Amino acid sequence: MELICPAGTPAAFREAVEAGADAVYCGFRDETNARNFPGLNFSREELRQSIALARRKKVQTFVALNTFMRAGDEALWYSAADDAVAMGADALILADFGLMAYVAEKYPQQRLHVSVQASASNPEAIRFLVEAFGAKRVVLPRVLTVQDIARLTRQIDCEVEVFAFGGLCVMAEGRCSLSSYATGKSPNMNGVCSPASHVRYRQDGADLVSELGAYTINRFGPGEASGYPTLCKGRFEIGDVEGYAFEDPVSLDVIDEIDALRAAGVSALKIEGRQRGKAYVAEVVSSLKKALGASPGERAALVARLRAMSEGQRTTTGAYDKRWR
């Protein structure tokens, strides 16, 4: 299986290449990609140089243009696709059907990957994208079990990529409106989820309260580690039970599922983390590269190394084995 690695900066891109990535995914410094955070992403010249570096090292570059186009402002996305193709991107990761149509018609030889933001998760949807736009690969939402994935791969004529490590979105990506509801900004249109511009922390007696927009997301007692207030990872009172409604604020880690995912027909494993620093990228990429070639017994030590770098220093297999409440 290929290892697909994140890069939010040219420095992280170089680290991913040197650490053993088969492909690196990244995006332009604008709202055409779903990680549009201040200080991240690539200028045109930076991406051109990065693609050239990757090519010399025999590593592929995937350019994410995975937000949805605004009516009347399509030129921003069209020009980003034009530039990425001209720079020699090995694949474009797209979510918007209109942008898929534009690329398929203007650049029929350009490899097209369906972004997780397209939320394509059943055979009918994926077959449509393959037939209509010539999609060669689909990135599946993080809501399917390994058994679901195995059934799916048998019914489609398309490569499958799944997330293996990093931040865990527990919603059907591309269809979640929580961030938009709370802050007016969403990953679908603006490239940001639970943006830092709307985050506040305040002291309430001995507790530290985290807020997003007008909403309280969590409350931390003395000595308790405080996390980032991602909207779907809040702690709430539900009935008589206090807890995390959807998922604990932890990272996804499916190293223990590598053999099962390979057997299920998965072509590529994706690491989430374009907003993370170059040291994180280097460590995670090198560890997962070793894990792909290691025996199940040898993987335990690699998991332990990565857990310390995870959100909350804990990890979960998420939906892959469906243990959610």
Side-chain angles (χ1 to χ4, degrees), residues 31-34 36 66-71 77 96 117 180 184-192:
E31 61 189 285
T32 61
N33 87 80
N36 184 28
N66 56 342
T67 50
F68 294 94
M69 298 190 294
R70 275 196 321 277
W77 282 261
D96 188 289
Q117 292 298 116
S180 179
K185 294 184 180 296
S186 78
N188 307 338
M189 299 295 292
N190 309 106
V192 291

Side-chain angles (χ1 to χ4, degrees), residues 7-15 29 41-43 46-47 50 53:
T9 64
F13 192 106
R14 290 191 294 271
E15 291 291 346
R29 196 172 292 144
N41 301 311
F42 291 68
S43 68
E46 287 171 341
L47 189 54
S50 296
L53 167 68

Side-chain angles (χ1 to χ4, degrees), residues 103 157 163 174 205:
V103 171
D157 186 20
F163 281 90

Side-chain angles (χ1 to χ4, degrees), residues 159-216:
E159 296 171 4
V160 165
E161 180 175 315
V162 301
F163 281 90
F165 191 87
L168 175 61
C169 180
V170 300
M171 303 300 172
E173 288 100 331
R175 300 187 184 182
C176 176
S177 298
L178 284 176
S179 179
S180 179
Y181 178 82
T183 70
K185 294 184 180 296
S186 78
N188 307 338
M189 299 295 292
N190 309 106
V192 291
C193 176
S194 304
S197 57
H198 288 67
V199 169
R200 288 187 303 277
Y201 293 91
R202 62 178 175 84
Q203 205 69 34
D204 183 15
D207 294 342
L208 180 67
V209 176
S210 64
E211 298 176 335
L212 182 72
Y215 299 91
T216 296

Side-chain angles (χ1 to χ4, degrees), residues 222-260:
E224 186 179 6
S226 57
Y228 188 89
T230 303
L231 193 55
C232 62
K233 295 181 181 179
R235 186 160 46 178
F236 304 99
E237 289 182 0
I238 304 169
D240 296 325
V241 178
E242 179 187 287
Y244 292 97
F246 301 107
E247 175 63 279
D248 292 16
V250 296
S251 290
L252 177 69
D253 174 9
V254 296
I255 287 182
D256 290 338
E257 303 284 349
I258 284 176
D259 295 327

